[in-house]
Amino acid sequence: MGATGRLLNGNFDLSKVLVFAGTGNNGGDGLAIARMLHVRGVDVTVMLTGAEDHTSTETAQQLKILHYYQIPVIPASTDLTGYTTIVDAIFGIGLDRPVEGKFADWINAINASSAKVFSVDVPSGLNADTGEPQGATVKATATSSFAYAKNGFVTDQGKQYTGQLYVEDIGVYLDDHYEG
Ligand SMILES: NC(=O)C1=CN([C@@H]2O[C@H](COP(=O)(O)OP(=O)(O)OC[C@H]3O[C@@H](n4cnc5c(N)ncnc54)[C@H](O)[C@@H]3O)[C@@H](O)[C@H]2O)[C@@H](O)CC1
Ligand SMILES: [K+]
């Protein structure tokens, strides 16, 4: 079952969903989830942490598709009133420095909201290798991790951030190798 399936499994109130997306590929995964929820009739809004013309190639492609579907894409904000589920797609394994400033404000707002939080690949702000928070870090209700459970998710500290952990098969494995 993919990440979207975890959201559709009945444990999340999907009356009004917010996808909080970064401009890297983790955000792109969030945008793909937004589209899949939209085509299933879910009311979904996307908040983007940066400018639309400063996204990764994959994320730019996903944005184009969202615009085709007329899914609302608005600037990131700390006003999260009314959302029943928040999909956290700000940072994944590309986190490379502590989370500060407006990113910390957004993550603190996500943690303070009454919505359930579903993290894409990694709870944003968590160092996936060590399980240590790098500044403000999302505390998820559940996390769908792609391909394998990161080392940091099995530490006592890491588990406090991932919530229920799912591992999604995306067709890549740790022992993949090529013989040529
Ligand atoms: N690598 C792979 O094989 C795959 C990656 N995928 C997705 O791609 C993600 C990784 O994507 P990326 O490498 O684009 O990285 P991310 O999307 O995790 O984040 C990278 C962006 O965040 C910025 N950033 C990092 N730390 C920051 C901080 N503390 N404050 C502000 N900005 C910060 C970086 O400058 C960069 O712009 C994975 O977590 C996963 O969701 C999946 O789509 C499947 C395959
Ligand atoms: K994330």
Side-chain angles (χ1 to χ4, degrees):
M1 185 190 291
T4 310
R6 307 294 179 189
L7 282 160
L8 291 164
N9 72 3
N11 292 333
F12 289 86
D13 176 351
L14 302 181
S15 316
K16 192 165 169 58
V17 175
L18 173 68
V19 174
F20 215 119
T23 54
N25 291 337
N26 191 251
D29 288 339
L31 300 185
I33 290 170
R35 166 176 43 87
M36 288 186 271
L37 291 174
H38 171 84
V39 298
R40 284 165 180 77
V42 174
D43 174 348
V44 55
T45 298
V46 171
M47 280 188 186
L48 198 62
T49 64
E52 293 203 17
D53 56 358
H54 281 78
T55 58
S56 68
T57 312
E58 287 80 1
T59 302
Q61 190 59 34
Q62 292 295 339
L63 266 175
K64 236 169 120 175
I65 303 170
L66 287 199
H67 290 317
Y68 172 79
Y69 281 108
Q70 299 186 323
I71 297 168
V73 179
I74 61 176
S77 149
T78 53
D79 180 5
L80 307 179
T81 315
Y83 296 107
T84 55
T85 292
I86 299 174
V87 177
D88 152 40
I90 301 176
F91 305 122
I93 55 172
L95 182 79
D96 58 9
R97 55 193 184 273
V99 179
E100 297 167 341
K102 59 189 181 179
F103 285 92
D105 293 342
W106 293 326
I107 286 177
N108 290 334
I110 291 171
N111 286 340
S113 108
S114 57
K116 282 191 180 176
V117 179
F118 180 87
S119 284
V120 177
D121 200 25
V122 181
S124 296
L126 189 71
N127 181 316
D129 294 325
T130 65
E132 298 274 333
Q134 309 290 293
T137 300
V138 168
K139 277 210 161 193
T141 310
T143 298
S144 264
S145 186
F146 298 138
Y148 54 92
K150 280 69 177 168
N151 289 338
F153 295 175
V154 294
T155 67
D156 287 343
Q157 196 172 27
K159 281 181 197 161
Q160 292 172 26
Y161 292 92
T162 61
Q164 169 78 50
L165 181 63
Y166 301 110
V167 178
E168 311 301 346
D169 180 2
I170 56 165
V172 296
Y173 301 96
L174 277 178
D175 59 352
D176 266 0
H177 65 281
Y178 300 94
E179 290 171 11

